[in-house]
């Protein structure tokens, strides 16, 4: 493969192994796996799930749901608060597939009841500690009022309670991940138990890669909804969700300049390719790690090498003295992204190590 510019490479073998591992964990804990496709956003990668028996997915927008419906997916949860302005696409999709939506306010339910034309499933989006959005898991009064408003509509099936423990992304190690998982699970189980007599079929849907990757106790949690695990990334490796060898994507970037006095190598690869997500480690701000090159792909990060700055197209890599002369202008460096979801979205396509181009979903203007 002749690489001349920033190119997002996908190791198909690692990716498929990550998928198999998560399916195995879901089976181990008797959980339904509904993988979130917002990380890979690709029909081809989606088919790798389907080849292993997965027939349902989650997405982050109605447009993305339409893209996967066109690829043959017919059981889709839009794990994002319903945008009532998109009522036309809601009705279009609901007339063709099993569509699940998320609500978190009486105002949204009122609008939904007014425009809905076909059956849908509804999850109440719950805040169990992340504090990004969602109904307070302990506010039973508000939740009950919304449930009553939903059950008044014969087109609506109340599916259950959905939450994302995104605060696990700030964890360091399995113990902290488990602590958050225990806290959020207890809140969600208490919530379900409160309403179980009146709504005996409701389920809990939990969706974050760290807990789904390493935690053990999923008793009373019916559905796993992770997404990032399909590729993993530097952030997940540092959290403890995976090993660096599990990371299935890397950006190949050409070296275009060198500055020995600052131990800096400039690559063609900037914020428009990686995003500006970063981690703090050992007193350094890191926007990516440089992996060792292997005959067919890449290995683990090289000690002391890291992306220290990003501007629009420029990336600045710190390289230790003893290794500086190893890099020549025109060399390709393999960068492990901090956040593979955003990097994939920015690049809009992948290339497998065999040179196959894999297209992704794109938003229409």
């Amino acid at each position: 493969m002749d690489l001349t510019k920033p190119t997002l490479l996908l190791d198909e073998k690692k990716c498929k192994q990550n998928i198999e591992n998560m399916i195995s964990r879901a089976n181990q804990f008797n959980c339904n796996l509904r993988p979130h496709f917002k990380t890979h956003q690709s029909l081809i990668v989606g088919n790798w799930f389907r080849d292993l028996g997965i027939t349902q997915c989650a997405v982050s927008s109605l447009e993305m749901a339409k893209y996967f419906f066109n690829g043959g997916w017919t059981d889709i949860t839009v794990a994002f608060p319903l945008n009532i302005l998109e009522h036309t696409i809601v009705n279009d999709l609901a007339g063709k597939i099993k569509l699940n939506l998320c609500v978190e306010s009486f105002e949204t339910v009122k609008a939904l009841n007014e425009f809905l034309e076909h059956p849908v499933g509804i999850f109440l989006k719950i805040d169990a500690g992340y504090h990004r959005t969602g109904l307070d898991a302990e506010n039973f009064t508000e939740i009950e009022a919304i449930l009553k408003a939903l059950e008044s509509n014969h087109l609506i099936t109340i599916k259950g309670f959905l939450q994302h423990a995104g605060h696990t992304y700030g964890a360091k190690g399995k113990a902290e991940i488990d602590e958050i998982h225990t806290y959020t699970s207890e809140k969600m189980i208490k919530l379900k138990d409160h309403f179980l007599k009146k709504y005996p079929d409701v389920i809990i849907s939990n969706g974050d890669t760290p807990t789904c990757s390493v935690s053990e106790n999923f008793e009373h949690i019916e559905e796993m909804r992770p997404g990032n695990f399909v590729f993993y990334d530097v952030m997940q490796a540092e959290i403890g969700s995976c090993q660096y060898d599990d990371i299935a994507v890397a950006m190949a970037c050409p070296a275009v300049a060198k500055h020995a006095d600052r131990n800096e190598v400039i690559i063609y690869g900037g914020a428009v390719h990686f995003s500006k997500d970063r981690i703090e480690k050992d007193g350094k701000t890191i926007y990516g790690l440089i992996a060792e090159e292997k005959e067919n792909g890449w290995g683990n990060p090289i000690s002391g090498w890291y992306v220290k700055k990003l501007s629009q197209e420029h990336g600045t890599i710190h390289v230790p003295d003893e290794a500086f002369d190893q890099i020549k202008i025109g060399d390709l460096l393999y960068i492990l992204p901090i956040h593979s979801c955003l990097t994939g979205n920015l690049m809009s396509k992948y290339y497998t190590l065999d040179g196959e181009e894999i297209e992704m979903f794109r938003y229409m203007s």
Side-chain angles (χ1 to χ4, degrees), residues 295-315:
E295 183 176 350
N296 188 28
W298 58 88
N300 286 321
I302 305 171
S303 179
W305 297 37
Y306 62 95
V307 182
K308 62 184 290 188
K309 289 189 294 187
L310 288 175
S311 51
Q312 189 159 328
E313 281 89 11
H314 296 68

Side-chain angles (χ1 to χ4, degrees), residues 4 25 35 61 92 109 119 129 152 176 183 193 208 210 227 235 257 300 328 336 338:
T4 61
R25 281 184 58 79
S61 71
D92 179 52
V109 174
S152 68
E176 290 187 16
Y183 178 81
D193 286 348
D208 67 287
M235 187 180 296
N300 286 321
K328 309 299 181 188
L336 302 178
I338 298 297

Side-chain angles (χ1 to χ4, degrees), residues 332-346:
L332 287 172
L333 301 179
Y334 294 84
I335 317 296
L336 302 178
I338 298 297
H339 190 175
S340 60
C341 306
L342 293 185
T343 300
N345 184 68
L346 286 169

Side-chain angles (χ1 to χ4, degrees), residues 95-112:
K96 299 171 181 174
I97 67 171
K98 293 180 182 178
L99 179 66
N100 298 320
L101 304 171
C102 292
V103 302
E104 58 174 272
S105 73
F106 186 82
E107 187 177 2
T108 298
V109 174
K110 183 176 182 294
L112 178 64

Side-chain angles (χ1 to χ4, degrees), residues 17-36 39 49 58 162-169 171 173-174 176-182 184-185 204-219 221-230 232 236 239-243 246:
Q17 187 62 58
N18 291 340
I19 295 171
E20 289 181 15
N21 290 346
M22 192 58 73
I23 291 173
S24 177
R25 281 184 58 79
N27 290 339
Q28 177 186 351
F29 300 118
N30 197 29
C31 282
N32 175 56
L33 178 63
R34 183 184 290 272
H36 205 314
T39 298
F49 283 88
L162 178 148
Q163 72 102 16
H164 173 66
H167 43 323
T168 54
Y169 282 51
K174 185 178 184 300
E176 290 187 16
I177 294 171
D178 286 343
E179 182 179 359
I180 294 170
H181 178 59
T182 298
T184 58
S185 295
I204 296 172
S205 177
N206 276 6
D208 67 287
T209 282
T211 61
C212 292
S213 294
V214 302
S215 295
E216 281 93 23
N217 186 4
F218 288 86
E219 190 176 3
I221 308 296
E222 288 85 2
E223 184 171 272
M224 289 179 169
R225 208 183 62 258
N228 179 276
F229 75 94
V230 68
Y232 287 120
Q236 295 295 335
I239 291 169
S241 306
C242 67
Q243 302 299 314
D246 297 322

Side-chain angles (χ1 to χ4, degrees), residues 42 44 68 91 130 157-158 171 175 211 218 222 239 248 259 281 306 313 322-323 328 362:
S42 163
I44 290 176
F68 281 103
N91 283 319
Y130 184 26
T157 299
I158 297 171
T211 61
F218 288 86
E222 288 85 2
I239 291 169
H259 301 281
K281 185 177 181 180
Y306 62 95
E313 281 89 11
E322 63 272 15
K328 309 299 181 188
R362 294 288 85 193

